[in-house]
Amino acid sequence: MNGTDQSGTAIARPGEPAFAAATDVFNLAAPVRPAAAVTVRTAEQVRAALRHAEAEQLWVRVHTSGHAASSARPMDGSLLIRTEPAGPVEIDPQTRTARIPAGTRWGAVVEAAARYGLAAPHGSSPTVGVVGYLLRGGISFYGRRTGLAVNSVRAVELVTPDRELRRVDGTADPELFWALRGGGGGLGVVTAVEIGLFPAARVVTGAAFWPAAHGPELLSRWLRWTRDAPSAVTTALRVMNLPAVPEIPPVLTRGPVVCLAGVVLSPTADDLATAEAQAEELLGPLRAVAEPVFDTWCTTTPSAVVRTHMDPTDPVPVAGDHLLLSELGEQGAEVFLQVLGEGSGSPLVNAELRQLGGALAVPDPDGGALSHLEAAFAFTAGGLAVDPLATAAIRGHCAKVRSALAPWDSGWTAPTLVERLDQPQRHLSPEAVERLDRIRRRVDRTGRFRHDVPPGASARY
């Protein structure tokens, strides 16, 4: 079944241009090597790809932008299906919902929703694929106000392993709908999702940077603020060793810096004064420590939020780690800076404490397999894995950090933040895993999608 069939589905093999396009990943340090690959836009093309996988006895794998390549299982003996959007994002301003074709990146959703004064619980980069981010949980800069992004999903359209196109929601196969939302995948190929949106008139957002010498006082003040922070505000504190490249202001590459990034949501114009006061309550004490060397915080439109985190938009080679942490306190803050702050010798470009709590910690009674996170902070860290020596240094330092932060390690992880396949992963209870395995046995009788399930989401494989 090589070549193109009547559906326009071209199955590609290694060495062919279409194979390179379908297997393209964002993390250049984690290339994927399936036996074959195909790019699809329609349900009929998905069906054709599944027929090919069955005929050739290949496992089925799915991705869009390849941001999660480093945490994916090896793809030997697999057909990789890459989804690209079949059409535009459709916004219904009356119901505050969006229908999003699989393969769409968040930048397109943000722009479409903003035209109606609405926003989505999107990721920190405009190039991240919507479906993978959503169905793996999703921690947005609106998260403390809106909860995990997966809770915004109202319906999922997918081609299941039996090649049937289904639309599932709270009434149409609610068991499969539950499993899709945070269950770890392996249930079919999603072709579109419908999500709920929320009002967003304005935001106060940005990132402020200080020399890392001010790290102890900045971290101490920020941690005190987080204990009673309003749910309208979601922030992240980062220790960064930024490379000297044209895209980064030179003032940020002269040594390690501490960055405070975040968003304060103003749902309506009448809420703006409150939002700006909340931003000042956060930033005033930090700016009093020292004047930032670079500061982008301002009142602006929600479209700007997708650039707040200042993530790279071009593919880069990255290696790193992730933990969900409990409250750090003074001792935890001291340990954090000992292994990551000034003088630590850290080779990591970014080491981040992302603020959780608020709505992120509240279970959704109508939610799926994953609907909340019980932790105070999400820790993520990463460095540029440009060669084996750099990669070894990054992995060695990540192990040192993991050991140092062990007293505050909750033992849980957030699926969208997992940096590598071999790290401990746990985002589901044993009861949820058992239920998911029962649903997968029903939906994927031959186990064709079994390798698309991450560790921790199944007890079977």
Side-chain angles (χ1 to χ4, degrees), residues 22-107:
T23 58
D24 187 37
V25 296
F26 189 84
N27 187 349
L28 299 179
V32 294
R33 299 183 176 91
V38 60
T39 298
V40 301
R41 294 181 183 273
T42 68
E44 188 51 47
Q45 290 175 344
V46 174
R47 289 193 182 102
L50 295 185
R51 285 195 295 269
H52 177 85
E54 292 169 12
E56 297 293 324
Q57 290 297 294
L58 298 173
W59 308 112
V60 176
R61 306 297 298 278
V62 187
H63 81 174
T64 295
S65 61
H67 275 75
S70 61
S71 61
R73 296 181 188 270
M75 295 191 183
D76 311 62
S78 298
L79 171 65
L80 174 61
I81 298 176
R82 182 189 191 95
T83 55
E84 290 292 344
V89 177
E90 301 171 20
I91 305 294
D92 185 335
Q94 308 306 130
T95 60
R96 294 179 180 169
T97 58
R99 182 184 180 275
I100 307 168
T104 303
R105 276 63 165 179
W106 272 117

Side-chain angles (χ1 to χ4, degrees), residues 121-199:
H122 57 76
S124 60
S125 168
T127 64
V128 169
V130 170
V131 170
Y133 166 91
L134 280 174
L135 299 187
R136 286 157 54 89
I139 303 174
S140 168
F141 264 128
Y142 298 115
R144 285 173 41 78
R145 178 69 171 260
T146 62
L148 282 179
V150 68
N151 295 337
S152 72
V153 177
R154 301 289 178 263
V156 179
E157 299 170 30
L158 77 160
V159 177
T160 45
D162 59 3
R163 300 198 301 274
E164 290 296 319
L165 176 62
R166 307 177 190 274
R167 185 184 189 277
V168 299
D169 56 24
T171 56
D173 202 338
E175 185 180 57
L176 178 55
F177 185 51
W178 175 87
L180 285 163
R181 292 176 293 156
L187 297 161
V189 181
V190 173
T191 57
V193 292
E194 181 181 301
I195 68 169
L197 306 173
F198 52 87

Side-chain angles (χ1 to χ4, degrees), residues 256-328:
V257 292
V258 173
C259 170
L260 192 285
V263 174
V264 189
L265 174 64
S266 174
T268 71
D270 292 340
D271 300 313
L272 182 56
T274 298
E276 291 179 332
Q278 290 171 333
E280 179 57 30
E281 290 171 2
L282 163 65
L283 295 166
L286 301 180
R287 288 170 174 155
V289 172
E291 182 179 352
V293 296
F294 192 76
D295 194 341
T296 67
W297 279 88
C298 65
T299 299
T300 184
T301 63
S303 296
V305 173
V306 79
R307 295 181 294 276
T308 289
H309 206 244
M310 302 173 71
D311 287 352
T313 55
D314 294 323
V316 289
V318 176
D321 203 0
H322 158 62
L323 303 165
L324 287 182
L325 303 175
S326 59
E327 290 285 357
L328 291 176

